[in-house]
Amino acid sequence: MTNNSESNQPDIVHSPVGAEADVESVAEEITSRQISAQTYGGDPVEERKQRLKDIIAELETRTQASERGEDLKPLLEEARSSLEIVETQSARGER
Protein backbone atom coordinates (compact mmCIF):
# COMPACT_ATOMS: atom_id res chain seq x y z
CA MET A 1 0.00 0.00 0.00
CA THR A 2 1.37 3.44 -0.83
CA ASN A 3 1.66 6.18 1.75
CA ASN A 4 0.55 9.76 1.55
CA SER A 5 3.92 11.43 2.10
CA GLU A 6 2.53 14.52 3.84
CA SER A 7 0.57 12.76 6.59
CA ASN A 8 2.24 9.34 6.49
CA GLN A 9 -1.25 7.82 6.13
CA PRO A 10 -2.02 4.97 3.72
CA ASP A 11 -3.10 6.23 0.30
CA ILE A 12 -6.36 4.34 -0.09
CA VAL A 13 -7.15 5.79 -3.53
CA HIS A 14 -3.98 4.45 -5.11
CA SER A 15 -3.77 1.17 -3.24
CA PRO A 16 -4.07 -2.06 -5.24
CA VAL A 17 -7.35 -3.90 -5.06
CA GLY A 18 -7.54 -7.67 -4.90
CA ALA A 19 -3.89 -8.28 -4.17
CA GLU A 20 -2.59 -11.77 -3.46
CA ALA A 21 -2.60 -11.00 0.25
CA ASP A 22 -6.36 -10.55 0.02
CA VAL A 23 -6.78 -13.99 -1.51
CA GLU A 24 -4.55 -15.62 1.09
CA SER A 25 -6.25 -14.01 4.07
CA VAL A 26 -9.73 -14.85 2.84
CA ALA A 27 -8.73 -18.37 1.84
CA GLU A 28 -7.87 -19.19 5.44
CA GLU A 29 -11.57 -19.23 6.21
CA ILE A 30 -12.12 -22.55 4.41
CA THR A 31 -10.46 -25.49 6.13
CA SER A 32 -10.35 -29.23 5.76
CA ARG A 33 -12.20 -29.49 9.07
CA GLN A 34 -15.09 -27.40 7.68
CA ILE A 35 -15.30 -29.61 4.61
CA SER A 36 -15.38 -32.73 6.79
CA ALA A 37 -18.12 -31.19 8.90
CA GLN A 38 -20.25 -30.79 5.78
CA THR A 39 -19.50 -34.33 4.67
CA TYR A 40 -20.39 -36.09 7.90
CA GLY A 41 -22.35 -33.46 9.83
CA GLY A 42 -25.84 -33.82 11.23
CA ASP A 43 -27.52 -31.27 8.97
CA PRO A 44 -29.87 -32.46 6.22
CA VAL A 45 -28.09 -33.91 3.19
CA GLU A 46 -29.45 -31.30 0.79
CA GLU A 47 -28.14 -28.46 2.95
CA ARG A 48 -24.71 -30.07 3.25
CA LYS A 49 -24.65 -30.69 -0.49
CA GLN A 50 -25.43 -27.03 -1.22
CA ARG A 51 -22.79 -25.81 1.24
CA LEU A 52 -20.18 -28.03 -0.40
CA LYS A 53 -21.15 -26.69 -3.82
CA ASP A 54 -20.70 -23.17 -2.46
CA ILE A 55 -17.31 -24.07 -1.00
CA ILE A 56 -16.23 -25.60 -4.32
CA ALA A 57 -17.32 -22.52 -6.26
CA GLU A 58 -15.43 -20.27 -3.85
CA LEU A 59 -12.27 -22.38 -4.01
CA GLU A 60 -12.42 -22.51 -7.82
CA THR A 61 -12.61 -18.72 -7.88
CA ARG A 62 -9.72 -18.41 -5.47
CA THR A 63 -7.50 -20.80 -7.43
CA GLN A 64 -7.92 -18.56 -10.48
CA ALA A 65 -7.54 -15.25 -8.61
CA SER A 66 -3.87 -15.54 -7.79
CA GLU A 67 -0.65 -17.18 -8.85
CA ARG A 68 -0.66 -18.88 -5.46
CA GLY A 69 -4.14 -20.24 -6.09
CA GLU A 70 -2.51 -23.55 -6.98
CA ASP A 71 -1.90 -23.99 -3.25
CA LEU A 72 -5.66 -24.38 -2.77
CA LYS A 73 -6.07 -27.22 -5.27
CA PRO A 74 -5.73 -30.03 -2.68
CA LEU A 75 -8.48 -28.40 -0.61
CA LEU A 76 -10.61 -28.05 -3.75
CA GLU A 77 -10.16 -31.75 -4.54
CA GLU A 78 -11.10 -32.64 -0.98
CA ALA A 79 -14.27 -30.59 -1.30
CA ARG A 80 -15.14 -32.28 -4.61
CA SER A 81 -14.61 -35.72 -3.07
CA SER A 82 -16.78 -34.75 -0.11
CA LEU A 83 -19.52 -33.60 -2.46
CA GLU A 84 -19.45 -37.02 -4.16
CA ILE A 85 -19.90 -38.69 -0.77
CA VAL A 86 -22.83 -36.45 0.13
CA GLU A 87 -24.42 -36.93 -3.30
CA THR A 88 -24.18 -40.70 -2.76
CA GLN A 89 -25.87 -40.29 0.61
CA SER A 90 -28.59 -38.25 -1.07
CA ALA A 91 -29.08 -40.87 -3.80
CA ARG A 92 -29.53 -43.53 -1.12
CA GLY A 93 -32.26 -41.44 0.43
CA GLU A 94 -30.31 -40.50 3.53
CA ARG A 95 -31.31 -37.31 5.22
Side-chain angles (χ1 to χ4, degrees):
M1 188 177 295
T2 60
N3 286 330
N4 185 335
S5 59
E6 293 176 16
S7 63
N8 206 19
Q9 297 287 327
D11 186 358
I12 297 170
V13 174
H14 296 101
S15 296
V17 176
E20 280 192 44
D22 293 339
V23 174
E24 292 171 19
S25 66
V26 173
E28 293 174 349
E29 294 177 9
I30 298 175
T31 65
S32 182
R33 177 177 276 178
Q34 291 169 325
I35 292 171
S36 293
Q38 296 310 313
T39 308
Y40 304 107
D43 292 337
V45 171
E46 292 305 314
E47 288 179 23
R48 292 185 288 129
K49 189 163 60 168
Q50 185 56 51
R51 284 189 208 119
L52 284 167
K53 287 179 181 180
D54 292 343
I55 288 171
I56 290 167
E58 181 66 25
L59 287 170
E60 286 173 340
T61 300
R62 292 177 187 181
T63 59
Q64 297 168 5
S66 165
E67 291 177 9
R68 296 204 51 206
E70 296 290 317
D71 295 347
L72 297 173
K73 285 200 173 186
L75 196 59
L76 176 59
E77 290 306 313
E78 181 180 349
R80 287 177 175 154
S81 295
S82 291
L83 179 59
E84 289 178 18
I85 291 168
V86 174
E87 286 176 335
T88 300
Q89 292 170 347
S90 179
R92 284 191 229 147
E94 293 180 28
R95 296 183 172 249

